[in-house]
Amino acid sequence: MRISEEEYNKLLSNLLETCHKFLPSVDDKLITNAFKFSYESHINDTRASGEPYFYHPLAVAKIVAEEITLDDISVVAALLHDVIEDTEVTYELIKNEFGVTVAEIVEGVTKIGGIFKGYEINQAENYRKLLLSMVRDIRVILVKFADRLHNMRTLHYMRPDKQRRIAKETMEIYAPFASRFGLAKIKWELEDLSFKYLNKEEYNELARKIKDKREEREKYIADFIKPIKTALEEIGLQCEVYGRPKHLYSIYRKMIKRNTVFENIFDLLAIRVIIESTDSNLCYYAVGVINKLYTPVQGKFKDYIIVPKKNNYQSLHNTVINSDGRMIEIQIRTRAMHEVAERGVAAHWKYKESTFTSDKELEEWVNWIRDVFENSSKDDAAKDIISSFQMYLYQEEIYVFTPKGDLLKLPLGATPIDFAYEVHSRVGETCIGAKVNGKIVPLNTELKSGDQVEILTSKNQHPTENWLKFVKTHKAKNNIKKYINHQDDEIIENGKHIWEKKIKKLKLTFSDDEVQKLAAKLRYDSVRFFFKAIGEMEIDLDKVFAPNQAQQEAKSEFQVDKFTSQVRSEVGGIVIDGAKGFEIYYAKCCNPIPGDEIIGFVTITKGVTIHRKDCKNIITLSKTNPDRLISVDWRNVKKNEFIAGISIRGEDNPGILKDISNGITNYENTNIHSINIKTDEGFFTGVITVYVKNLEHLEHLIKRLKKINGLFSAERTQLVN
Ligand code: MN
């Protein structure tokens, strides 16, 4: 919507005037350009009020200049704060026109909008840190509050259902946040405006009652503060003393809390003494003066100067009794403390002398702010200080959401596995996949602040050594290691059990020494590894004890040896084609296929079993019976007759199985032997066995499978019978 040239010029000069009045230094050209840019970008948009949309960013810019009192950069960013979200304008364009700082603030305001949506603020502290970890520049947050404040001020143009939703969000999220950042003035206004839409009747009634008694109240205040003013002036203390009714919402909250009616709430008035000095001792001095005029209430004095509130609020609170018996609270503070109380972080730029103590959580931040002030010489314009006001806090941590909206803190670089262990070690152990912001990601993906993470689990999943390569938290590392070691312990325990049963059955006795010797003889580094091998069925104890058994068996051993040498001489270790008068078996443990590197093992039944060279079993067998190994090579195979397993993992979506089976059978008429799939919470794992010609054939199939949408791993696997 266009506005007249006259109107345009009037609004622009009004904005510039406001900026000059409140800000330390103003770049007129920059603001004029941003004003034009914002106007033109929003030219086609209209507000719910029917006004040109441009009036909104302009109003936000004025709040930033006048009520938060930041700098001209923030005013520019406020003018542009909605252009990325609502128009065609991009980050790059803003960067080119207004520089990287403005572009980053505008982008930041756009980005954090989402964070405020939808979650209950049950972990305010973590939210604050989440924001700080996402936002490098405090101005992003301040512009966002100004934006919300203007939207709340103009909420009456919205539909009632929208009013309620926005008011609720403001009450639950923005107002507590504003409080956390020390923006008390904005917080009160946000609360009162939300209250107006959330509890219309109560709001109107309270507003009416406060208005009705206005004259009476003003006289009461004047009578009460007059002696204070006089006494303080008499001793030469420069100060402002005033009283005003408390905010509607805080009165309402008191009524609820005390379960009483408006008429019974006495402390409707906030009396303030603002001392025009930086010397905080004068505050205590003023309390002394006041307590001579009015009787102080014992136990009601609060010293937030020595012990400031979490948001750096500093003030003395003193309650006295008026001549009519009413208790009245008086807040006494210096002008600097007052600025901080009303405008929070924005005020820190102006007043460096405030002393911060005790609050451990803010300590770092506060120290840094002090550092900025103390290390900049007096000649530095406030502007330079602000432009270097980057936040280094919390950049080593990230804050991510659980599906329920809880926040978890993790170290930078943390992965879904770290997240899963943070939730519960059981979740970590069975973590098979993760969704980040609704999308499936690999388990080694680095999470970012603000991500929402959902962990997919499967009973069949277990931690692996591989996880240790990318997890970041100690919790995850320790748990994974513990699990792997514990697995070993179980196997070893089981192996020992098998061993003991066996020697008992054979009526043998072994000293520890003898067990050790046997382990060494079988080429195991320790008894532990020996038992582990038994537990993993790598050692067949029947064979170990075979020489000790009947002579007949010794004879058969001899015959096998003889057969082996016969095989060796006949085939010469070259090609096995099944025509040499002995049986060829393909080992079921590793299912070799042409193309694999293989080795033969002569069996007692006068056959040769072909294993893959890297097969675990053949490695064990080669230790116990090295003389029975023969080298073999593949014959020329033409038929698809070798069986191979492919393990797959993916998203359980309709049609994916069809894609998988088509992917296989459409290639060289490959036959599927079996498909074995388990699904678990939107996820599946399984093994497909196929008939292939050779390794190349299998590798082609795997490549094809990997291209299927929703399938995120396919690899050759050993088959278990
Ligand atoms: Mn806006």
Side-chain angles (χ1 to χ4, degrees), residues 237-239 274-283 333-337 351 353:
L237 211 63
Q238 273 204 19
C239 58
I274 312 293
I275 294 172
E276 308 292 354
S277 165
T278 54
D279 182 0
S280 59
N281 288 323
L282 295 179
C283 299
R333 54 210 189 210
T334 65
R335 176 64 67 188
M337 291 172 189
Y351 299 95
E353 58 281 310

Side-chain angles (χ1 to χ4, degrees), residues 101-321:
T101 310
V102 170
E104 269 179 8
I105 298 173
V106 172
E107 192 193 42
V109 175
T110 311
K111 204 168 65 180
I112 63 167
I115 293 299
F116 285 105
K117 279 188 191 117
Y119 298 112
E120 297 279 324
I121 183 163
N122 51 3
Q123 296 163 286
E125 202 55 31
N126 276 345
Y127 264 90
R128 197 166 57 86
K129 288 181 184 169
L130 162 70
L131 273 178
L132 297 183
S133 71
M134 288 181 74
V135 175
R136 286 188 166 270
D137 194 314
I138 188 81
R139 288 171 288 191
V140 169
I141 293 163
L142 299 173
V143 170
K144 186 72 203 166
F145 282 122
D147 175 39
R148 175 54 57 127
L149 186 56
H150 184 247
N151 285 334
M152 284 305 292
R153 284 177 183 171
T154 52
L155 197 61
H156 51 281
Y157 294 109
M158 293 285 188
R159 285 201 322 261
D161 59 322
K162 251 190 155 178
Q163 287 177 349
R164 285 193 59 84
R165 187 182 60 72
I166 294 171
K168 191 163 179 276
E169 189 182 87
T170 303
M171 185 67 103
E172 284 174 356
I173 297 167
Y174 282 83
F177 257 126
S179 172
R180 287 280 164 170
F181 282 97
L183 301 164
K185 241 178 97 183
I186 289 182
K187 176 210 160 198
W188 288 326
E189 194 176 345
L190 288 176
E191 275 182 352
D192 274 7
L193 288 165
S194 306
F195 176 44
K196 184 170 153 188
Y197 292 98
L198 291 172
N199 305 63
K200 258 194 175 113
E201 279 171 33
E202 288 92 336
Y203 177 90
N204 288 335
E205 196 188 328
L206 270 184
R208 188 178 49 76
K209 282 179 175 164
I210 286 177
K211 209 174 140 213
D212 281 354
K213 307 230 163 157
R214 191 166 156 212
E215 237 169 84
E216 194 183 314
R217 187 178 60 241
E218 278 173 358
K219 187 174 178 309
Y220 187 88
I221 291 172
D223 290 348
F224 177 76
I225 64 179
K226 203 176 165 209
I228 298 177
K229 247 183 180 160
T230 314
L232 292 176
E233 269 163 21
E234 266 170 19
I235 57 161
L237 211 63
Q238 273 204 19
C239 58
E240 184 190 352
V241 184
Y242 64 92
R244 49 157 191 75
K246 282 195 171 157
H247 295 271
L248 288 183
Y249 184 65
S250 68
I251 295 170
Y252 178 68
R253 213 165 30 198
K254 275 206 171 121
M255 284 164 55
I256 300 280
K257 203 171 146 195
R258 298 184 196 163
N259 193 20
T260 186
V261 292
F262 175 77
E263 285 70 19
N264 289 341
I265 304 281
F266 293 111
D267 45 1
L268 293 174
L269 308 171
I271 306 289
R272 287 206 182 114
V273 177
I274 312 293
I275 294 172
E276 308 292 354
S277 165
T278 54
D279 182 0
S280 59
N281 288 323
L282 295 179
C283 299
Y284 297 93
Y285 192 37
V287 170
V289 172
I290 292 164
N291 286 351
K292 270 187 203 154
L293 298 168
Y294 298 104
T295 313
V297 180
Q298 293 295 319
K300 279 262 188 181
F301 179 77
K302 284 180 201 135
D303 186 344
Y304 295 115
I305 290 179
I306 299 288
V307 185
K309 285 190 186 178
K310 270 194 174 181
N311 56 17
N312 292 329
Y313 174 87
Q314 285 187 300
S315 186
L316 296 178
H317 291 189
N318 187 35
T319 304
V320 299
I321 299 171

Side-chain angles (χ1 to χ4, degrees), residues 6 170-171 177 200 293 327 347 361 407 420 480 492 532 541 599 665 710:
E6 194 194 341
T170 303
M171 185 67 103
F177 257 126
K200 258 194 175 113
L293 298 168
M327 288 201 284
E361 279 164 346
L407 274 174
I480 294 166
I492 290 163
K532 191 181 169 196
L541 288 179
I599 191 154
T665 52

Side-chain angles (χ1 to χ4, degrees), residues 47 53 56-57 60 78 81-82 85-86 109 144 147-148 150-151:
R47 287 276 282 177
Y53 190 89
H56 165 64
V60 175
H81 82 270
D82 272 334
E85 198 168 352
D86 297 344
V109 175
K144 186 72 203 166
D147 175 39
R148 175 54 57 127
H150 184 247
N151 285 334

Side-chain angles (χ1 to χ4, degrees), residues 543 556-557 559-564 567 582-587 600-611 618 621 625 627-630:
K543 283 183 189 159
S556 114
E557 275 281 307
Q559 280 177 348
V560 174
D561 287 349
K562 208 172 136 201
F563 172 64
T564 308
V567 171
F582 47 84
E583 294 290 331
I584 298 286
Y585 306 98
Y586 293 103
F601 185 78
V602 179
T603 64
I604 299 180
T605 53
K606 297 191 178 179
V608 176
T609 309
I610 311 295
H611 289 264
I618 200 71
L621 286 171
N625 304 79
D627 44 343
R628 285 213 235 151
L629 296 176
I630 58 167

